[in-house]
Structure formats: structure tokens, C-alpha cells
Amino acid sequence: MIRGERTGLRARHESDVPVLQAELYDDVVTRSRADSRPWRPVPPGSQDSPFAVAGPSDEAACFSVVELQSQELAGEALLWGIDTHNRSAHLGIALRPAFRGRGLSVDVLHVLCEYGFAVRGLRRLQIETLTDNAPMLAAAAGAGFTREGTLRRSAWVYGAFADEAVLGLLAEEWSRRG
């Protein structure tokens, strides 16, 4: 487990999958705002679940987020689109509803950055989020990310196009907490 001040990132356990599926995927409106792929019904226990446990990959690193104080599953975090040539990747996080609004997102982003920069040796991490996702924009700013631009009407979100913000953090801008 990679530990932050309030959260830890660990490998996904089989027992995490039904919880994440029910609370993060089956909420169609929220999931549509968080994923660029269209929502499709996925039956419980299916290997098609986006949370299904998979082996290590060079292109993605999927974690379960644990709140350290309670040791409860708080959500998921991932590095995806890992590009070893350009040494870059994208970040994503999703917290279960009971863990939102508790200030955990900044810590999760710090821990993901530690994994990306210190463990994987990446030089750039990027976040794309909807421009009206104030909690994620605030968490990204709190973790040191810089807003680099807006992709106008680039995301199809539950019946309408929405703008996306692009935020980036370079290895030399990252400060390891310690």
C-alpha cells in the first residue's frame, strides 16, 4: 500500500468490486460525468466491470482507495494512458458517496502523484474533468496541478455536450510530502 496522510492506495480486491460497481458505476448520471465512454449495463460479477480485478499492466495502474483511519474502502484511483516513451499519464479518482466532501481527494491525488513520479518515473501527469466539477478542480489545485486549458464541448454527458478542463503537473513542480 502507498500511504498518504489520510488515504492509502492498494491493489483492488475481489471484495471491492461489488461495492464499487454498485456505488460508482450503477449511478448512471454520475458515471456519465466521470467517464468518456458511454454507460452500458454490466451485470454483477461480470468480468466486463470497469472495476474487475486484472493483473499488472504497463498502460494503467488501478487502485482501491482506503481511508486510513477507518480502513474502509473509500473509492478508486487510477493512472491510465501511461505513455512510457513520453513519460506521461492521466489520473482519475472516484470516491464512494459516503466519502465525498470530506477532503480526501487532495490526499488521494498526492498519493497518485507519488506513485506516478517516484515509483513509475513519469514526468507529466494530467487530469481532464468537466469544467463544472468544482470539487475535482479544487482538489487538483490543492495538489499543485495547473489549469492548462478548456476543451470546448468535448464531452457528451447524459444528453448534452460539456466543456472539459485540462490540468497538468510536471515532475519538477511536484513536491513530495514528507
Side-chain angles (χ1 to χ4, degrees):
M1 180 182 293
I2 302 171
R3 295 175 185 272
E5 292 177 5
R6 301 178 59 200
T7 62
L9 303 182
R10 63 161 168 76
R12 178 92 26 89
H13 296 174
E14 287 291 342
S15 60
D16 298 343
V17 175
V19 175
L20 296 173
Q21 180 78 25
E23 294 190 31
L24 299 180
Y25 189 81
D26 290 342
D27 176 352
V28 179
V29 174
T30 301
R31 184 65 183 194
S32 296
R33 293 178 51 78
D35 195 333
S36 61
R37 297 166 294 187
W39 185 90
R40 293 187 170 101
V42 175
S46 171
Q47 283 302 309
D48 293 325
S49 169
F51 307 107
V53 175
S57 164
D58 289 335
E59 292 82 35
C62 301
F63 299 97
S64 287
V65 176
V66 175
E67 182 184 46
L68 294 176
Q69 182 178 3
S70 68
Q71 289 298 299
E72 288 185 69
L73 175 66
E76 74 152 345
L78 63 150
L79 257 68
W80 58 276
I82 298 171
D83 179 339
T84 55
H85 177 72
N86 292 304
R87 295 176 56 196
S88 64
H90 303 263
L91 302 184
I93 65 171
L95 296 178
R96 295 171 56 202
F99 292 88
R100 295 177 191 154
R102 294 168 50 180
L104 299 177
S105 295
V106 173
D107 193 60
V108 173
L109 289 175
H110 279 293
V111 181
L112 272 176
C113 289
E114 182 163 347
Y115 177 76
F117 292 133
V119 176
R120 296 295 295 257
L122 300 175
R123 299 289 303 151
R124 174 185 168 76
L125 296 174
Q126 181 171 311
I127 296 170
E128 298 89 13
T129 190
L130 299 178
T131 58
D132 66 355
N133 187 349
M136 186 59 177
L137 291 170
F145 283 78
T146 299
R147 187 164 177 171
E148 297 175 333
T150 300
L151 302 174
R152 298 178 306 141
R153 305 293 184 260
S154 63
W156 179 254
V157 181
Y158 211 79
F161 282 103
D163 294 347
E164 288 181 287
V166 177
L167 302 105
L169 181 65
L170 303 177
E172 58 268 20
E173 299 168 337
W174 173 64
S175 61
R176 183 183 303 192
R177 295 186 296 175

